[in-house]
Amino acid sequence: MNTKINRIVLSLGVLVVLLIGYGCKPKGPATVTTGDAASKVYVAPGQYDEFYNIVSGGFNGQMAIYGIPSGRLFKILPVFSVFPESGYGYSEETKPMLNTSHGFVPWDDLHHIALSTTKGEHDGRWAFGNGNNTPRVARVDLTTFRTAEILEIPNSGGNHSSPFITENTEYLVAGTRFSVPMGENRDVPISSYKENFKGSISFIKVNPETGRMNIEFQLRTPGFNYDLSRAGKGPSHGWFFFSCYNTEQAYTLLEQNASRNDKDFIMAVNWKKAEEYLAQGKGKKEKAKYAHNVYDEKTHMATSTMLDEVTVLDVMEFPDIVYFIPCPKSPHGCDVDPSGEYIVGSGKLAALMPVFSFSKFQTAIQQKDYEGDFSGIPVIRYEAALHGEVKKPGLGPLHTEFDANGNAYTSFFVSSEIVKWNVKTLEILDRVPTYYSIGHLSVPGGPTAKPHGKYVIAYNKITKDRYLPTGPELTQSAQLYSIEGDKMQLLLDFPTTGEPHYAEAIPASLIRDKSVKIYPIEHNEHPYAAKGEKMARVERKGKEVHVYMTAIRSHLTPDNIEGIRVGDEVYFHVTNLEQDWDVPHGFAIKGATNAEILIMPGETQTLKWEPKEVGVIPFYCTDFCSALHQEMSGYARVSPANSNTPIKFSTGDTGGQK
Amino acid sequence: MKNLMTVLVAAAMLAACAPDKPQVAETGGSKKSAVEEVIDPTKGIGQVKNVTLHNPLDGERVQRGLDIYEMKCSACHRLTDERVVGPGFKDVTKRRKPEWIMNMITNVDVMLDEDPVAQELLELCLMRMPNQNVSIGDARDILEFMRKNDGEQ
């Protein structure tokens, strides 16, 4: 009897443990999706995906392009990191793209994507990304899927709250994650943080025609950490919202010391007001050194310009530009709903999520409903700006995206789930587990005034057992959920490259038909282009040897080169004469200490080669181009440094053959 | 199993209804209409139906044709009868109708797939002539240059 009772108790105990386990932790990898998931993500051979998913690569410094709903990877798009596969950062033309005030920086940490918008909606023109480590913002042209421009951000200790975007792509922002000493006196004790450290928010103006970026002005702000941001839209257009943490102003062991305050801030910036002050000449010109790199599609070449000045407005002197709204416990996400009325703050350590009302916030400003100030900047009374709180939403809220039906989707890192809730009623509607520990999430059009909905994609931080193991380092795991019904439904796992942070998804129809297929050779203005084999040649200028080479299926011209000497700098300027889509040629030469180059149809790219020893050195096309691709090759003869072998070049000349 | 069948059936239906998109996109709308409309098979397949030639040659056209030839064609075609990657240009205007030449230049993918003469040449050269993105007007200039190359005045 006793044994039996014991057994029952034991069984119950096991059951309870199991239930607890079930409740707290997502199910393991054996979890299967429900019946029709496969058909919802199946894109038949030759068919196209409905959405492009433009995904940050995190520590690989790149973007990656996926199709949704299939999760197929289409392209890795190099932005802040060298990419030997295409020669980005290795070819003479692309090296200037990675120039900075610190010199050539071949890597960065790309966290956030911002797609260009018009009237708050995706327009499919550009994708912007931030370089978190050596502060930079990049613009990618969505007709070529190439990095077109990189702008360095001075007065920044790490460009994390960036490159969030206003509804007509007027501005991108770049807020410093770490406050640092700025101006003339920067050699100060770290312990003088409160006195000497400042924040800085750059407003980058985007030319509406060309997309060209310039730092229009910088706001000098109180010294703490600026984390994430969103622009207002609709009624709140003209404002920007930034999540701030470390209002404790800690400079060591932030894990503890920056987690003491019950509330940090959301900083609301009235950028139209800032524009007024600038128009009145209130901005101060300050010295600052930063690089501006632009790629020209006609010369197929990047140029890097070093700039030396920024215009600064110190918000402590113009307190009506900026207001603080208290927000619980180290807020991370700071997301504005499609209507522009609601601002969601996600305190990483908070047990609730406040939703602020833009109209109540405006009333609070009018009535000066403040609870104090911080460095002379008004702090709005929390309740005065509050629409309401989402109670017990989950653990560790990070980011929120929206659908077109008034619902919000928030990622929870600690409890590893996505929670769907209603923005107006604050009622929790559904929750699904993610595998494991979701960071960012993306709903197509989720940050815009007109979400496209249909899916939410989770970008998870931990992969563990989701895929076949590949040693200690695993691919990062993304997951696709349907949000078409009342209940979210897991459809697909797909692996991603680098470590995705934020991503955006956009209907393929907004991009697909604008895609560039070739560069017209008639428009090639590269100074070393050989527009036709007749122009192929080799020229010596002192130690430099310039090879004007052409590539077409399936030969390189010239393919016999003599007269190169040890110690020369040889530049292979390869022009691809093809004018058909998807016929790139590649070029590689034995012993080159950089990389290969890939040359698109109509383009010219240059590989530098410094031969170290005497011999006849083969070179070849690296991109399989035709039935006779293996024949697409040539020889360069390298003579001793003091030789007088004359420059000689040819293709198809067999006169010397015995 | 049932679900799998549904997927398979759905996939089969999709496959049956949906043409091979990338190919269709590449060859464009000219494919179908051209096949029906072109009566003279020696004129090739494409938008070019009738070309009227004039003498003397148009000198400006000849010069433009030469410039395009040097940029886009000379890597594979000599001006003699020597075949390198593709056949030499010499006497091409005597062997082929002007329409055939211009269709071959401007509609090469369809020509290589469907025109018997173009297919014979492909078998000979074993190298698909690339689409060099030449407009009809530019192809006419190249034709004028070819006539000059063949000794016309």
Side-chain angles (χ1 to χ4, degrees):
Chain A
M1 190 67 186
N2 269 352
T3 340
K4 200 174 181 183
I5 287 169
N6 278 345
R7 240 184 235 160
I8 291 169
V9 171
L10 188 67
S11 306
L12 275 173
V14 170
L15 193 63
V16 168
V17 169
L18 279 174
L19 279 173
I20 288 169
Y22 184 80
C24 298
K25 210 177 82 181
K27 288 172 276 182
T31 311
V32 287
T33 53
T34 46
D36 57 345
S39 65
K40 286 184 176 169
V41 300
Y42 182 67
V43 177
Q47 301 291 306
Y48 299 125
D49 279 280
E50 186 180 355
F51 295 97
Y52 283 100
N53 193 197
I54 298 168
V55 183
S56 63
F59 48 57
N60 76 3
Q62 300 159 338
M63 295 184 191
I65 314 297
Y66 300 84
I68 295 295
S70 72
R72 296 179 294 184
L73 172 66
F74 299 147
K75 188 184 181 77
I76 295 173
L77 192 163
V79 181
F80 295 116
S81 294
V82 293
F83 197 50
E85 177 179 326
S86 67
Y88 181 81
Y90 292 98
S91 72
E92 295 307 299
E93 289 79 0
T94 54
K95 279 177 187 173
M97 290 301 284
L98 301 177
N99 192 36
T100 72
S101 61
H102 309 271
F104 181 81
V105 176
W107 171 87
D108 216 303
D109 186 12
L110 196 164
H111 278 217
H112 309 121
I113 306 290
L115 299 186
S116 58
T117 50
T118 302
K119 294 178 183 162
E121 296 178 25
H122 280 155
D123 59 23
R125 301 173 78 191
W126 305 299
F128 300 91
N130 67 320
N132 193 38
N133 182 54
T134 302
R136 285 174 280 180
V137 169
R139 176 171 58 89
V140 165
D141 184 331
L142 291 177
T143 65
T144 58
F145 283 82
R146 280 184 165 186
T147 304
E149 187 178 4
I150 292 180
L151 178 64
E152 191 180 0
I153 310 296
N155 293 325
S156 175
N159 186 30
H160 192 266
S161 61
S162 183
F164 301 94
I165 197 166
T166 56
E167 68 180 17
N168 294 305
T169 315
E170 294 98 337
Y171 288 106
L172 304 162
V173 287
T176 185
R177 174 178 169 197
F178 305 110
S179 283
V180 286
M182 290 177 200
E184 297 300 310
N185 185 22
R186 285 175 292 179
D187 180 18
V188 297
I190 297 171
S191 59
S192 70
Y193 188 111
K194 278 190 189 177
E195 184 191 339
N196 289 320
F197 287 39
K198 297 289 177 213
S200 173
I201 311 282
S202 302
F203 280 74
I204 301 165
K205 195 147 206 175
V206 179
N207 182 299
E209 301 304 321
T210 62
R212 287 280 185 103
M213 305 183 286
N214 72 285
I215 299 178
E216 189 74 3
F217 62 96
Q218 292 190 322
L219 296 180
R220 193 62 42 84
T221 55
F224 39 66
N225 293 40
Y226 296 85
D227 201 4
L228 287 164
S229 175
R230 285 291 185 192
K233 41 178 145 354
S236 54
H237 180 59
W239 289 78
F240 241 111
F241 304 93
F242 294 84
S243 56
C244 310
Y245 65 106
N246 190 23
T247 53
E248 297 85 349
Q249 301 188 300
Y251 50 86
T252 180
L253 196 61
L254 266 64
E255 185 180 22
Q256 268 182 24
N257 295 330
S259 304
R260 295 189 201 282
N261 289 353
D262 276 347
K263 292 198 172 69
D264 293 283
F265 297 133
I266 283 175
M267 180 173 80
V269 176
N270 185 343
W271 56 261
K272 296 242 171 172
K273 183 61 85 178
E275 281 183 335
E276 286 173 24
Y277 285 125
L278 287 167
Q280 295 162 19
K282 301 278 172 67
K284 281 182 195 151
K285 304 273 187 209
E286 281 189 12
K287 291 270 167 246
K289 192 180 169 200
Y290 57 109
H292 185 206
N293 312 328
V294 179
Y295 196 82
D296 183 324
E297 266 179 33
K298 289 228 165 100
T299 60
H300 300 287
M301 209 178 267
T303 47
S304 179
T305 312
M306 206 56 74
L307 304 175
D308 55 12
E309 194 177 72
V310 283
T311 304
V312 177
L313 273 176
D314 189 331
V315 301
M316 275 73 90
E317 294 169 23
F318 304 97
D320 55 347
I321 297 177
V322 166
Y323 299 87
F324 289 128
I325 306 170
C327 187
K329 291 281 177 198
S330 304
H332 191 56
C334 170
D335 297 293
V336 180
D337 87 315
S339 75
E341 165 64 9
Y342 300 107
I343 302 128
V344 181
S346 300
K348 298 191 290 283
L349 308 172
L352 55 81
M353 283 166 54
V355 178
F356 299 102
S357 152
F358 180 72
S359 49
K360 287 183 77 176
F361 165 62
Q362 291 298 295
T363 308
I365 292 172
Q366 279 158 23
Q367 297 176 349
K368 296 198 171 3
D369 198 348
Y370 305 147
E371 61 176 46
D373 74 284
F374 190 102
S375 297
I377 292 159
V379 178
I380 303 280
R381 192 171 57 84
Y382 175 70
E383 288 78 10
L386 188 70
H387 163 62
E389 293 170 341
V390 185
K391 305 283 188 194
K392 292 203 179 294
L395 300 178
L398 292 184
H399 308 281
T400 301
E401 294 266 295
F402 304 90
D403 68 17
N405 307 315
N407 300 312
Y409 301 81
T410 302
S411 61
F412 288 83
F413 177 80
V414 178
S415 55
S416 190
E417 60 188 334
I418 298 174
V419 174
K420 175 183 178 182
W421 51 279
N422 185 286
V423 178
K424 273 194 187 139
T425 66
L426 307 169
E427 183 192 353
I428 290 171
L429 304 171
D430 189 25
R431 53 180 75 230
V432 286
T434 63
Y435 308 94
Y436 302 92
S437 300
I438 181 175
H440 280 270
L441 78 176
S442 170
V443 171
T448 72
K450 194 183 167 193
H452 314 293
K454 208 162 176 180
Y455 304 106
V456 61
I457 306 155
Y459 302 94
N460 299 307
K461 294 296 177 195
I462 311 283
T463 306
K464 296 285 193 201
D465 51 8
R466 294 303 286 181
Y467 300 105
L468 287 173
T470 54
E473 190 188 359
L474 303 170
T475 182
Q476 305 279 322
S477 169
Q479 292 185 293
L480 179 75
Y481 299 79
S482 166
I483 57 169
E484 287 185 294
D486 288 339
K487 295 281 173 195
M488 292 177 278
Q489 184 195 6
L490 175 60
L491 300 177
L492 179 74
D493 276 22
F494 63 100
T496 52
T497 62
E499 189 211 4
H501 292 253
Y502 189 50
E504 284 207 52
I506 177 171
S509 58
L510 289 175
I511 293 180
R512 188 176 130 186
D513 297 337
K514 295 189 276 193
S515 209
V516 165
K517 293 190 164 81
I518 61 161
Y519 297 100
I521 185 114
E522 298 89 338
H523 301 161
N524 182 327
E525 292 171 12
H526 193 295
Y528 291 96
K531 292 154 80 169
E533 284 194 356
K534 205 179 163 190
M535 294 166 73
R537 62 196 186 276
V538 180
E539 289 175 356
R540 173 179 286 283
K541 287 179 193 160
K543 284 266 175 199
E544 291 182 7
V545 176
H546 292 272
V547 181
Y548 296 67
M549 184 179 276
T550 63
I552 194 163
R553 283 165 285 181
S554 295
H555 57 281
L556 297 159
T557 303
D559 68 358
N560 279 199
I561 302 165
E562 298 192 358
I564 295 168
R565 299 175 203 141
V566 169
D568 281 346
E569 286 180 3
V570 184
Y571 294 88
F572 292 98
H573 309 284
V574 186
T575 301
N576 182 349
L577 294 177
E578 309 270 359
Q579 290 289 276
D580 200 359
W581 192 23
D582 195 23
V583 194
H585 289 290
F587 180 84
I589 183 159
K590 183 184 153 186
T593 53
N594 37 25
E596 68 157 340
I597 45 175
L598 282 187
I599 312 108
M600 297 303 124
E603 191 182 34
T604 304
Q605 289 288 293
T606 302
L607 189 75
K608 183 178 172 182
W609 178 57
E610 293 169 285
K612 301 279 191 304
E613 47 182 69
V614 170
V616 174
I617 315 296
F619 52 82
Y620 70 102
C621 169
T622 53
D623 191 322
F624 195 100
C625 53
S626 74
L628 296 173
H629 164 74
Q630 286 297 86
E631 281 72 9
M632 195 163 175
S633 59
Y635 289 112
R637 175 181 167 190
V638 181
S639 301
N642 55 1
S643 72
N644 49 15
T645 313
I647 290 281
K648 208 171 118 191
F649 55 92
S650 62
T651 300
D653 178 3
T654 52
Q657 188 91 286
K658 296 268 156 66
Chain B
M1 195 60 197
K2 201 174 168 189
N3 284 330
L4 181 63
M5 284 306 289
T6 318
V7 171
L8 285 176
V9 170
M13 284 169 72
L14 276 175
C17 307
D20 191 341
K21 260 193 223 156
Q23 263 195 22
V24 172
E26 270 309 87
T27 52
S30 64
K31 186 173 174 179
K32 203 170 140 198
S33 58
V35 175
E36 286 161 2
E37 283 166 30
V38 171
I39 301 135
D40 182 351
T42 62
K43 288 188 172 182
I45 304 159
Q47 285 181 41
V48 183
K49 313 288 191 237
N50 272 303
V51 178
T52 313
L53 300 178
H54 300 285
N55 289 90
L57 297 174
D58 178 338
E60 283 179 22
R61 272 198 189 283
V62 170
Q63 185 57 47
R64 285 201 300 269
L66 170 64
D67 292 344
I68 298 163
Y69 163 78
E70 285 184 344
M71 188 187 294
K72 294 188 168 182
C73 320
S74 65
C76 301
H77 298 283
R78 296 285 179 267
L79 296 179
T80 62
D81 59 4
E82 184 196 0
R83 177 164 65 84
V84 278
V85 180
F89 272 7
K90 180 138 183 59
D91 290 341
V92 64
T93 57
K94 296 172 185 165
R95 287 194 299 273
R96 316 275 177 235
K97 294 259 170 70
E99 295 83 0
W100 188 95
I101 292 171
M102 288 177 62
N103 282 326
M104 187 68 193
I105 296 170
T106 56
N107 195 31
V108 63
D109 286 311
V110 174
M111 287 289 284
L112 288 173
D113 289 345
E114 296 178 18
D115 182 86
V117 176
Q119 286 177 324
E120 267 175 41
L121 289 169
L122 177 58
E123 278 178 38
L124 181 73
C125 303
L126 284 172
M127 176 75 213
R128 281 181 78 90
M129 178 170 135
N131 167 8
Q132 284 292 75
N133 197 34
V134 178
S135 68
I136 302 261
D138 286 354
R140 181 65 186 79
D141 293 344
I142 295 169
L143 176 70
E144 200 76 347
F145 166 69
M146 286 169 159
R147 294 172 66 206
K148 169 93 177 171
N149 188 51
D150 287 345
E152 281 194 57
Q153 297 295 315

